[in-house]
Amino acid sequence: MLRFANTPLLWALLLVPILIIGFLWVRRWKKKALAAFGHQAVIGKIIPNVSFTKPTLKFVFFIIAYTLLIIGLAGPQVGTHVDEVQRKGADLMILLDVSNSMLAQDFAPNRLENAKSALSQLLNNLHDDRIGIIVFAGEAYVQMPVTTDYSAARLFLNTINTGIVPVQGTAIGAAINMGMKSFDFKDGTGKAMILMTDGENHEDDA
């Protein structure tokens, strides 16, 4: 079965008959214009280079090339069909503590950099899962919504520091609530939150 990936492009083929009609009209007009000067044999002696064969061949090759180009751009597909693939991975939301206490150097270089390194290793092991990042201190913010773009996740992860949340504290409950709101529970995939913090909840009920 022949089908096309970009069917609307085939509308450009409507130009083919228009171009053919235009070419035939111009060709006929040129013949009449030359006939007005006299007999064909006389015209051949006066203008020996006049030829209708070469322009016709060039036009035929142009039409063929144009038609093949449009068909190629339309993306012909033979014997293919579209299957709906359901994603089997889970949605993971990372809750990362960025309070100033995460700068403690009891784990070199500091707690925050160790947490980011662990998350980077986690990204290396993900395949069909979506991942999002919420940063929190005294308040919680969505740093990155859930996505399968692991390259973007690494970029967001590298930009995280303790100055990203202006209010100090450890609002674990706010981070969890924001994580729950970020999930789409109607899509049927598994949900999980990974909490990375060094302290107790000082701001709300977790």
Side-chain angles (χ1 to χ4, degrees):
M1 179 180 178
L2 179 64
R3 60 187 300 273
F4 294 91
N6 300 302
T7 305
L9 284 177
L10 295 177
W11 286 102
L13 292 177
L14 292 177
L15 284 175
V16 172
I18 297 175
L19 291 172
I20 292 174
I21 293 173
F23 175 79
L24 293 176
W25 183 86
V26 172
R27 187 170 182 268
R28 183 180 179 185
W29 176 82
K30 285 184 177 180
K31 281 188 175 182
K32 286 185 176 181
L34 289 174
F37 287 98
H39 193 271
Q40 185 174 357
V42 177
I43 295 174
K45 293 180 180 180
I46 299 174
I47 314 176
N49 294 326
V50 173
S51 173
F52 290 99
T53 303
K54 289 183 179 180
T56 301
L57 289 176
K58 289 182 179 180
F59 178 76
V60 170
F61 288 136
F62 168 77
I63 290 297
I64 293 174
Y66 175 81
T67 302
L68 293 177
L69 175 63
I70 295 301
I71 293 175
L73 292 176
Q77 299 173 344
V78 180
T80 61
H81 62 279
V82 178
D83 290 330
E84 183 177 350
V85 178
Q86 293 185 350
R87 188 172 58 87
K88 298 180 180 180
D91 287 348
L92 304 176
M93 183 60 76
I94 306 300
L95 312 180
L96 181 57
D97 186 352
V98 293
S99 59
N100 287 337
S101 62
M102 291 291 285
L103 294 177
Q105 298 179 359
D106 48 349
F107 294 97
N110 57 52
R111 297 173 182 176
L112 180 58
E113 290 303 319
N114 270 276
K116 290 167 62 175
S117 178
L119 291 176
S120 181
Q121 291 297 320
L122 173 64
L123 286 171
N124 292 335
N125 295 317
L126 296 180
H127 298 288
D128 296 324
D129 305 294
R130 296 197 305 172
I131 188 169
I133 302 174
I134 290 176
V135 293
F136 69 94
E139 297 175 344
Y141 298 94
V142 176
Q143 175 74 358
M144 184 188 72
V146 287
T147 179
T148 55
D149 189 344
Y150 301 143
S151 296
R154 288 187 178 88
L155 290 176
F156 277 105
L157 186 61
N158 289 334
T159 63
I160 293 176
N161 56 68
T162 55
I164 203 168
V165 178
V167 180
Q168 284 301 305
T170 312
I172 297 176
I176 293 175
N177 289 335
M178 186 166 290
M180 294 294 289
K181 292 178 181 178
S182 299
F183 288 139
D184 180 7
F185 291 97
K186 296 180 181 179
D187 61 9
T189 58
K191 315 295 178 186
M193 284 188 285
I194 300 176
L195 176 63
M196 305 191 75
T197 180
D198 66 343
E200 299 178 357
N201 177 44
H202 299 299
E203 300 297 327
D204 50 16
D205 295 329

